[in-house]
Amino acid sequence: MTTGTDTTPLTTPPAPAPAQAPARAGGGPVAVPDAGTASGTAESVPAAGHAEPAPAGAPAGKSPAGADTGAARGPDPVPAAPAAPAPARTRTAALAVVRALKAVAVRSAAILALVALWEFAPRAGLVDATFLPPISEVAVAWWELAGDGQLADHTQASLIRSFGGFGIAVAVAVPLGLLIGWYRPLADFLGPLLEVFRNTAALALLPVFVLLLGIGETSKVSIVVYACLWPVLLNTISAVRNADPTLVRLARSMDLSTPRLFQKVILPASVPAIFTGIRLAGAVSILVLVAAEMIGAKAGLGYLINASQFNFAIPQMYAGIVTISAIGVAFNQLLVTIERRLSTWRVPA
């Protein structure tokens, strides 16, 4: 029999699904306390932003789950190259100084030998000290001439004449040599005349210059111009004629005009030979001037040498000769330096 109570069967509600554990800051799950645990205790959850200590053997900066726990790091710094030890640098500098001193000693050996022989021979009686005094006496005379200003006055007069004639000769000979070397008809026309004058010594024409131009500055500068003209002119003509024909044909194939051809091909290729003639002319300008100053001059190194000989002041005479030699060496070195600057394209052998 039925009672008043509800006989509908009771269904058991399904067990609630366990809540998904929230992600831990390091990437692993967080343990949630069981609802049926009476104590209600739970596993402690690390604070956000703090990483769990990595186990031993794990790579630095990584959590056990592999997530990066630290801030992003920049690229590792490149280690600087170790500096050379101080003893090595000192040794290298010492070797460089030794090599420089050795080179200077080799280049100066012949000069030092000549100076020693010049000092020793008169004092040992090998030569007459009256006509060849020791170089120490010559040095004393040179110092006296420099002290009273005579040496500076004579040197200035000689340099003005020498460099003036030399500059005029170079300014005339280089363009003329380029024209004669490039244009064959002009070379054929002027060739015989050049051969006549190039074989006539400048000192042989000195009386002619004196007769025509007088004994003043004009004749002295003119004889220097004449003497310096031929080395520069002949070397320039030879340099142009010996220019590399392959380079000339290549430049012509590029439709270069004649001025551009000279600028880009002929002149650079001709610099070494031209400067050979210029250096020869520099030496000739001083030597010829000394001879010209011995006739009718009242100042100059040539006049100093000639007057010292007449007055039998032999040390002063040698002092003038030494000064001329020093000027010649310095002038030649200056021309060599200019040639190197203009020939930087050359590959050293």
Side-chain angles (χ1 to χ4, degrees):
M1 52 187 298
T2 57
T3 60
T5 61
D6 191 4
T7 60
T8 304
L10 297 174
T11 58
T12 305
Q20 187 175 0
R24 188 178 295 181
V30 180
V32 179
D34 189 1
T37 305
S39 60
T41 60
E43 184 182 346
S44 60
V45 180
H50 292 277
E52 215 173 35
K62 292 289 182 178
S63 68
D68 193 1
T69 60
R73 295 184 302 171
D76 293 337
V78 178
R89 292 197 300 266
T90 305
R91 192 181 311 111
T92 303
L95 290 176
V97 171
V98 169
R99 284 195 294 266
L101 292 177
K102 184 178 180 181
V104 172
V106 170
R107 294 182 178 181
S108 305
I111 300 296
L112 294 176
L114 175 62
V115 170
L117 181 62
W118 191 349
E119 181 69 23
F120 172 76
R123 297 189 182 279
L126 300 179
V127 294
D128 192 349
T130 304
F131 303 107
L132 184 62
I135 193 170
S136 57
E137 297 182 10
V138 175
V140 171
W142 187 92
W143 185 258
E144 292 175 353
L145 290 173
D148 59 14
Q150 295 185 46
L151 186 64
D153 294 338
H154 292 303
T155 302
Q156 180 181 1
S158 294
L159 290 180
I160 291 175
R161 297 163 183 160
S162 179
F163 289 170
F166 171 80
I168 294 173
V170 171
V172 172
V174 172
L176 185 60
L178 293 175
L179 291 176
I180 295 175
W182 184 252
Y183 295 104
R184 181 64 63 175
L186 185 61
D188 294 338
F189 176 72
L190 296 178
L193 187 63
L194 296 179
E195 289 296 326
V196 170
F197 282 102
R198 69 186 289 263
N199 290 294
T200 304
L203 293 180
L205 296 177
L206 180 58
V208 178
F209 280 94
V210 173
L211 289 174
L212 295 178
L213 302 175
I215 60 175
E217 299 297 318
T218 305
S219 61
K220 297 174 180 58
V221 175
S222 299
I223 195 66
V224 172
V225 172
Y226 178 86
C228 296
L229 184 70
W230 305 111
V232 181
L233 179 63
L234 297 177
N235 278 274
T236 304
I237 294 173
S238 176
V240 174
R241 289 181 178 176
N242 293 329
D244 191 350
T246 303
L247 295 178
V248 175
R249 288 195 297 268
L250 180 61
R252 288 187 179 280
S253 67
M254 298 174 67
D255 295 332
L256 289 181
S257 61
T258 300
R260 295 286 291 174
L261 177 63
F262 268 85
Q263 179 185 359
K264 296 296 183 181
V265 179
I266 302 300
L267 280 178
S270 303
V271 164
I274 292 175
F275 264 88
T276 300
I278 290 176
R279 290 170 60 187
L280 291 174
V284 169
S285 67
I286 297 176
L287 299 178
V288 172
L289 177 65
V290 170
E293 287 177 341
M294 292 181 178
I295 302 177
K298 295 182 179 180
L301 293 174
Y303 168 79
L304 173 64
I305 295 172
N306 198 32
S308 299
Q309 180 192 8
F310 284 146
N311 297 326
F312 211 72
I314 305 301
Q316 285 81 357
M317 181 187 72
Y318 283 106
I321 296 174
V322 170
T323 303
I324 291 174
S325 301
I327 292 174
V329 171
F331 190 34
N332 180 74
Q333 190 61 39
L334 175 62
L335 295 176
V336 169
T337 303
I338 297 175
E339 179 184 1
R340 289 175 180 172
R341 287 292 186 91
L342 297 178
S343 304
T344 53
W345 55 268
R346 297 176 65 185
V347 178

